[in-house]
Structure formats: C-alpha cells, structure tokens
Amino acid sequence: MSALLDKPQTGYELTRSIDTSLGFFWHASHQQVYAELKKLEAKQWLQGESIQQQSKPNKIVYRLSDQGRAALDQWVLKEDGKQRTTKDELLVRLYNLTDENAPHLAKQIRIRLTKTELNLQLYEKIKRNYYQNPETLDTRKTGIYLALMNGIEDAKLTKVWCYKALDLLAAKGLIEQESTINPQT
Amino acid sequence: MSALLDKPQTGYELTRSIDTSLGFFWHASHQQVYAELKKLEAKQWLQGESIQQQSKPNKIVYRLSDQGRAALDQWVLKEDGKQRTTKDELLVRLYNLTDENAPHLAKQIRIRLTKTELNLQLYEKIKRNYYQNPETLDTRKTGIYLALMNGIEDAKLTKVWCYKALDLLAAKGLIEQESTINPQT
DNA sequence: CGCCGCATGTAATTAGTTACATGATTGT
DNA sequence: ACAATCATGTAACTAATTACATGCGGCG
C-alpha cells in the first residue's frame, strides 16, 4: 500500500519493485502480491482498474482509496511495531563451514556479492536522481530518503563483508586466492 | 539444527538464542521452535531426551542425530540457496512520514536504537570471548566468526543510521532536538 | 524455434502468528 | 502481592512458498 502512495501500479510492477529496490526491507513473491491486492481490494482499501492493451496482456492498475489511505495512516501510528525479521540462509550455512564445503560457500558469497553490487548501483542511481541533497526534501520524501539510505548502507556493508569473508577463507587456504581488488577495508 | 551442532539444547534455549544472538539472521517464535523440533524429531534428524528437574519445570534436550548431521551437510551444499529476506515495518512506516507522525516514528527509531545497542554489546562480548583473533580459529569457528561479524557490522550500521535519521528529523524541525552524542558519523 | 518480458492467476502445502494455557521458583 | 524466569505446549488463523498454468510479441 505504501508503494501505491506515489502512483497507482499493477501487481507486476509491484513485484518488480520488490525484486529490485524494495526487496531489502520487504519481500514477497508475485503470487503473494496478486493475492494480497485482491484482499485489499475486497477491503475497499484499494481500487483496481482493468486496462486493455493491444499487443500486450491486459493489466489491472491498483490505486489507494481514501479508506486505504486512512487505514495506512492509522497503521503507521500503531504502538506495537513488529520488529524487523530476517532470514539469511547463507549465514546459517556458514555455521556449518568445513574444509569440504568451503569452495561451495565461497561461490555463494560471490553470488551475493554480485547481486549486492547491482543493487547498490541501482540505489545510488535513485539517490543521485531524486534524493541528492536531503535538506531540500519535503517531509514524505525525507522518510523515503531515510529508508533508501538504510538500503545503501546495508548494501555497502554486505559488499565489504563479502570481500572480507572471501579474503579470510583464502588466507586460511580453504579456497583459491581471490583476485582481490578489495575496496575500502 | 545448526544451533544444535555445538551442543544439545532445549526449545527454550533455542528460542532465547534466536531472541538475542541468532535473531539477526534467523527469526522464529517459541511456538514455532517447539513445533519444528517435533517435526525434526519425527524425521529422525533430532533425538529428544526428557530431563527431570527439581524446583524447575522438566525439559527436553534435543541433539542432532547422525542422519540429521548428514541431512544438514547435504543442505549446505544445495545449489539453489534462498536469498536473504527481510521484513522491516519501520522502514515501511517511514515511507509514510508526515509532519504529524514524525514524533511517533522518531520514538520507534529510538526504540530500535536502544535494542540495537544492547545487541551490539552482546555480539562484541561474544567476539571478545571466543573469536578474538580470526587467524587462529579452526574451520567451523571461522564460519561462525564470519556470521558474527556480519551481525556486528549490521548492528553498527543500524546504530549509526538511527542517529543520522534522528538528526535529520531534528534538523528539519519535525521533532525536538536530540541530545546528540553522535558517535562515528 | 525457443527464450525473455509482460501480465495474471489457481491449488496445495508449509511456515509463521496470535491468543490462550499451565505452573513452579526467584526476586522486589 | 506482583512480576520475571524457566519450560512446554494447543488451536485457530494468516502469510508465504512451490508447482503449475496461460498466452502474446519481440529478438536472435
């Protein structure tokens, strides 16, 4: 719903946003997104509008209703905020590090590194384009800026951590030496 | 299961670990932990042993079986690792920042800051006690060390982010000025 | 010709939350 | 007296995953 504040969107677009920019603080599959949109429409918090397209599948654009906006405003003020939850299978796997599985886990770390670098580029592009100097932003954009900064810092951290992790594994002789152009250690 | 590698534990102990040290990469409620332990025992991956206690409730200590260990080893080597997923309601709330709800959200940020500082202290204590110099650690402890470092860096980031966020909100006049003893900006 | 992007879904299952329940001991 | 810690659970529900399904258009 928060993602629909700025502009009405389709389930497909929301899913893509989650896969790219929003993923670091909210995750959902496309099936879940579509199911959730229907539920919210049934609650009258969203209104869906079918759009016919030529040479492309038809789509449904959802927009936040007045009731939805009110419900969202109330939700923001709730006292008992759920704390952040994370599930990171890679870190769990690392708890089981052995001489045998080290190369495999290193590969997984490299995959994470690549994905994180792509994410980071995207976030920094968004920042450059819309949130360059935080002093001039209006209230709502300030909030988005703060979330974005969290994502950027998180991605940077992950990147550095991946490099350090690969370095340590290499130093211990558990994997082949990396071509380590290790930035800001 | 990974948490049972080092030593057999009860559901209660596992829950407490999740609430404190393991929480940053794996979350679960006590109900879920108990349910999961029963499922894993039914699969023969764990063996539970009832322990009678005086002046305390009885408890069930679970330990990893050989089959469990084998299953875990295989799982670590799986190719399709699920990517990390996070749900952070606070950041979603920030997407809805207004002049009205700013003080409330600032309070939520302060709560997160306090919790994060406690977590960080705990992590650094663990590091000091068991993982002081990474070069001397054996393979398995190296893996745990890497996970721990991720947690420490993540907590530091969150701490700094909270300070910056409160500063920015204060600078914009959305909340009262903070008593800002802002460390390493 | 087969894959990718667009675009939306159903069905079955598993994961996870919320509310409720119990009961002794230790500390303030 | 009251709350916290230890310790485990059930029942009802909602959230989320997995697998499957459809169909057109553009690109190599």
Side-chain angles (χ1 to χ4, degrees), chain A residues 142 146, chain B residues 97 102 106 109 164-175:
Chain A
T142 300
L146 288 173
Chain B
L97 182 67
I109 292 172
K164 282 186 190 169
L166 291 170
D167 276 356
L168 183 58
L169 293 177
K172 296 225 168 213
L174 294 166
I175 56 170

Side-chain angles (χ1 to χ4, degrees), chain B residues 72-90:
Chain B
L72 187 56
D73 285 346
Q74 263 193 278
W75 173 79
V76 172
L77 288 170
K78 272 205 327 186
E79 278 305 321
D80 60 325
K82 260 177 221 153
Q83 62 174 20
R84 179 179 123 141
T85 61
T86 301
K87 299 241 150 159
D88 192 336
E89 289 200 352
L90 180 54

Side-chain angles (χ1 to χ4, degrees), chain B residues 3-181:
Chain B
L4 298 176
L5 270 171
D6 293 311
K7 55 177 184 303
Q9 291 193 79
T10 67
Y12 187 80
E13 290 168 325
L14 287 167
T15 304
R16 285 208 50 222
S17 298
I18 286 166
D19 285 342
T20 54
S21 49
L22 305 179
F24 77 94
F25 66 90
W26 200 261
H27 175 267
S29 64
H30 74 103
Q31 292 93 331
Q32 205 185 343
V33 169
Y34 288 121
E36 207 62 38
L37 286 170
K38 288 201 166 175
K39 277 186 217 165
L40 293 172
E41 195 184 22
K43 273 194 181 175
Q44 315 259 33
W45 288 358
L46 301 182
Q47 280 158 261
E49 189 194 353
S50 284
I51 306 233
Q52 256 61 39
Q53 294 185 121
Q54 76 289 33
S55 83
K56 269 185 193 175
N58 298 335
K59 61 183 181 181
I60 308 167
V61 177
Y62 289 92
R63 72 167 192 284
L64 203 56
S65 69
D66 292 342
Q67 303 111 87
R69 212 172 280 257
L72 187 56
D73 285 346
Q74 263 193 278
W75 173 79
V76 172
L77 288 170
K78 272 205 327 186
E79 278 305 321
D80 60 325
K82 260 177 221 153
Q83 62 174 20
R84 179 179 123 141
T85 61
T86 301
K87 299 241 150 159
D88 192 336
E89 289 200 352
L90 180 54
L91 295 184
V92 178
R93 279 167 216 263
L94 275 175
Y95 256 72
N96 298 277
L97 182 67
T98 62
D99 295 356
E100 288 74 39
N101 62 29
H104 179 255
L105 291 178
K107 196 167 76 186
Q108 302 297 312
I109 292 172
R110 272 179 230 117
I111 291 170
R112 171 161 301 187
L113 177 58
T114 307
K115 283 183 183 165
T116 302
E117 281 173 335
L118 282 171
N119 272 228
L120 184 55
Q121 278 172 33
L122 175 67
Y123 299 156
E124 293 198 312
K125 193 175 165 186
I126 295 171
K127 191 190 171 192
R128 267 198 309 279
N129 292 340
Y130 303 107
Y131 304 94
Q132 190 57 269
N133 50 344
E135 290 80 18
T136 65
L137 299 171
D138 64 42
T139 303
R140 211 175 98 62
K141 283 204 167 174
T142 301
I144 299 174
Y145 168 81
L146 288 173
L148 179 63
M149 287 311 290
N150 195 305
I152 288 177
E153 295 302 321
D154 189 70
K156 281 186 189 168
L157 177 160
T158 301
K159 193 176 153 181
V160 171
W161 177 84
C162 287
Y163 278 118
K164 282 186 190 169
L166 291 170
D167 276 356
L168 183 58
L169 293 177
K172 296 225 168 213
L174 294 166
I175 56 170
E176 299 303 314
Q177 202 69 31
E178 297 289 316
S179 61
T180 306
I181 309 140

Side-chain angles (χ1 to χ4, degrees), chain A residues 144-157:
Chain A
I144 299 174
Y145 168 81
L146 288 173
L148 179 64
M149 286 311 289
N150 196 305
I152 288 177
E153 294 302 322
D154 189 69
K156 280 186 188 168
L157 176 160

Side-chain angles (χ1 to χ4, degrees), chain A residues 26-32 36 39 54-57:
Chain A
W26 198 261
H27 174 267
S29 63
H30 75 102
Q31 292 92 332
Q32 205 185 341
E36 207 62 38
K39 277 186 217 165
Q54 76 289 35
S55 84
K56 269 186 191 173

